[in-house]
Amino acid sequence: MSDAFLDFIQASPSSYHAAHEVAARLHDAGFTEQVETHDWSATPGGHYLIRGGALMAWWVPSPEAAAFRIIGSHTDSPGFKLKPRGDLGTATFQQAGVEVYGGPIIPSWLDRELRLAGRIVLNDGTTRNVVTDGDFRIPHLAIHLDRSANEGLKLDRQAHTQPIYSVGNPDVEVLDLVAAAAGVAKEDIASHDLITVDAQPGALFGVDKQLIAAGRMDNLSSVYASLEAFLAATATATDVLVLAAFDHEEIGSASTTGAAGPILEDVLGRTACALGRDFEETKQMYARSTCVSADAAHSVHPNYVSRHDAVNYPVLGQGPVAKVNSNQRYASNAVTVGMWERACRAAGVPSQVFAGNNNSPCGSTIGPITATRLGIETVDVGIPLLSMHSARELAHVADMKWMEQALFSYLTMAD
């Protein structure tokens, strides 16, 4: 499983690539693509749609299915996004003009070979996914020129984060590299959505190769585990299964492809309608439905134990995590955590819990957003990570396996 997961990450350098990679695997499993401008299909079997960097899939076991079982995740990760006019030149260097996307640990991106990945839109309106070679790098300032660098590095988000890709070649532009990678003429590119990605592939390391080092595990770890569980569960499911992989979670989810937008509600409502449900019956389906919001969790950090709660902390390699926050940064409540614990027990999977130290803020997820939009009971879960939002994050092999098994159990267990 570990090598398969690393292959998935390598094939998914951007949210657009991730959505298409999931779609390709669903297609190979016999799912049919749904075009949103066509009549909706809820015939028994599998269906999916791609909207930008988001993918939605649903499996209908029979027209009599009475509820939805939903797993939500997200395809995007923090990084640096190429600006519309992406060329800078300083002191004879050629640099890519980028802006910060989401909340990356900025120093972790320094001194790494970086690629640009995402989509380009051509003059004829068609789109194409593209990833460049490792042509970019954000260099550190030498210690000789900043003796205080090890006393607390402070980086200006504008001045200090622009990658270099050449020196002394003023006629070379960023889009020359993008066009070459895409196999198109630069003049044919009308616009782009391109983000930096670490060029180094993911790897297994540590004793018995039980640790995973890779970029974008927040949140491709959940996308992959959800997909594997979803496909396996189609053989025995009795409810309509829904796989919702959103884009733009790292910047608040407020987009047509994010969890704050209408995409999941569209899928649920149009599926219910295609099953012959009226408005009242659709709302009854929602009331019987549940959602697992699957996003990464914070493992306790051995060098910063004081940043965690004294007892409510997870550890790498000890199972998936239910995430709880009294201020509803997570959607979990006693009922939905109980549901998740039952799923873990049924799967024979160890489980953990995360609640934050009162002096350390926690992040948030798609969970509260989808729960608020739909009124569907939701639990927030994920595998524990170290170095979350670094260019290269850290996870445990066992947690990935257990997460997939727990999600399968959730999709297939009796109410």
Side-chain angles (χ1 to χ4, degrees), residues 234-294:
T234 58
T236 56
T238 56
D239 291 329
V240 177
L241 307 184
V242 179
L243 176 69
F246 299 98
D247 200 355
H248 299 138
E249 189 274 347
E250 297 294 354
I251 54 172
S253 297
S255 71
T256 59
T257 53
I263 186 169
L264 177 56
E265 189 172 11
D266 286 350
V267 168
L268 301 184
R270 293 180 74 173
T271 300
C273 181
L275 290 172
R277 310 296 196 270
D278 61 20
F279 178 84
E280 174 62 24
E281 290 167 331
T282 297
K283 293 300 182 181
Q284 291 175 14
M285 284 190 75
Y286 284 18
R288 288 188 289 264
S289 299
T290 54
C291 177
V292 171
S293 165

Side-chain angles (χ1 to χ4, degrees), residues 160-181:
H160 300 153
T161 64
Q162 311 304 317
I164 65 171
Y165 62 92
S166 186
V167 60
N169 290 303
D171 295 332
V172 177
E173 298 179 346
V174 175
L175 286 188
D176 289 316
L177 307 180
V178 175

Side-chain angles (χ1 to χ4, degrees), residues 311-393:
V311 293
N312 294 286
Y313 61 81
V315 181
L316 292 182
Q318 295 190 18
V321 182
K323 303 187 291 184
V324 179
N325 180 264
S326 63
N327 295 302
Q328 286 293 289
R329 298 290 289 171
Y330 305 127
S332 307
N333 58 47
V335 171
T336 58
V337 170
M339 174 191 71
W340 178 249
E341 292 293 336
R342 289 195 302 277
C344 289
R345 286 196 302 272
V349 167
S351 62
Q352 306 186 78
V353 67
F354 171 84
N357 182 314
N358 289 330
N359 293 319
S360 299
C362 69
S364 190
T365 71
I366 62 169
I369 298 171
T370 54
T372 300
R373 275 198 68 100
L374 302 170
I376 291 176
E377 289 277 31
T378 301
V379 63
D380 272 295
V381 305
I383 66 164
L385 296 183
L386 287 173
S387 307
M388 190 185 295
H389 285 201
S390 172
R392 197 166 176 84
E393 297 164 323

Side-chain angles (χ1 to χ4, degrees), residues 38-387:
H38 293 179
D39 290 343
W40 200 261
S41 178
T43 56
H47 313 268
Y48 70 91
L49 68 84
I50 300 174
R51 185 190 293 179
L55 177 133
M56 302 283 128
W58 56 104
W59 172 269
V60 180
S62 73
E64 290 74 36
F68 298 103
R69 296 202 190 194
I70 307 161
I71 302 176
S73 59
H74 67 87
T75 57
D76 63 320
S77 301
F80 300 86
K81 188 173 181 181
L82 186 68
K83 291 181 177 179
R85 295 181 179 177
D87 290 292
L88 299 174
T90 306
T92 76
F93 284 89
Q94 284 68 57
Q95 295 173 272
V98 298
E99 60 180 327
V100 179
Y101 178 90
I105 302 175
I106 293 177
S108 74
W109 288 85
L110 304 182
D111 296 336
R112 294 178 178 273
E113 282 63 59
L114 304 175
R115 301 181 291 167
L116 285 175
R119 67 178 178 181
I120 57 174
V121 180
L122 303 179
N123 289 328
D124 63 5
T126 60
T127 63
R128 185 173 300 188
N129 290 347
V130 61
V131 56
T132 69
D133 293 327
D135 296 311
F136 303 87
R137 184 181 176 103
I138 307 172
H140 247 119
L141 182 64
I143 189 70
H144 313 80
L145 303 179
D146 182 8
R147 297 291 184 179
S148 66
N150 290 326
E151 299 169 12
L153 181 65
K154 293 184 178 180
L155 297 172
D156 184 287
R157 293 162 71 91
Q158 174 65 26
H160 300 153
T161 64
Q162 311 304 317
I164 65 171
Y165 62 92
S166 186
V167 60
N169 290 303
D171 295 332
V172 177
E173 298 179 346
V174 175
L175 286 188
D176 289 316
L177 307 180
V178 175
V184 300
K186 178 176 67 175
E187 294 74 19
D188 290 337
I189 300 175
S191 58
H192 51 76
D193 287 308
L194 298 167
I195 194 167
T196 55
V197 58
D198 184 10
Q200 183 180 4
L204 303 178
F205 75 103
V207 175
D208 297 328
K209 304 298 184 185
Q210 290 298 296
L211 298 176
I212 307 173
R216 306 181 304 287
M217 285 196 285
D218 177 13
N219 186 34
L220 294 184
S221 61
S222 297
V223 175
Y224 179 80
S226 300
L227 173 63
E228 293 297 298
F230 178 78
L231 288 172
T234 58
T236 56
T238 56
D239 291 329
V240 177
L241 307 184
V242 179
L243 176 69
F246 299 98
D247 200 355
H248 299 138
E249 189 274 347
E250 297 294 354
I251 54 172
S253 297
S255 71
T256 59
T257 53
I263 186 169
L264 177 56
E265 189 172 11
D266 286 350
V267 168
L268 301 184
R270 293 180 74 173
T271 300
C273 181
L275 290 172
R277 310 296 196 270
D278 61 20
F279 178 84
E280 174 62 24
E281 290 167 331
T282 297
K283 293 300 182 181
Q284 291 175 14
M285 284 190 75
Y286 284 18
R288 288 188 289 264
S289 299
T290 54
C291 177
V292 171
S293 165
D295 201 349
H298 296 289
S299 169
V300 65
H301 195 303
N303 296 337
Y304 300 90
V305 175
S306 64
R307 296 295 183 96
H308 300 264
D309 184 76
V311 293
N312 294 286
Y313 61 81
V315 181
L316 292 182
Q318 295 190 18
V321 182
K323 303 187 291 184
V324 179
N325 180 264
S326 63
N327 295 302
Q328 286 293 289
R329 298 290 289 171
Y330 305 127
S332 307
N333 58 47
V335 171
T336 58
V337 170
M339 174 191 71
W340 178 249
E341 292 293 336
R342 289 195 302 277
C344 289
R345 286 196 302 272
V349 167
S351 62
Q352 306 186 78
V353 67
F354 171 84
N357 182 314
N358 289 330
N359 293 319
S360 299
C362 69
S364 190
T365 71
I366 62 169
I369 298 171
T370 54
T372 300
R373 275 198 68 100
L374 302 170
I376 291 176
E377 289 277 31
T378 301
V379 63
D380 272 295
V381 305
I383 66 164
L385 296 183
L386 287 173
S387 307

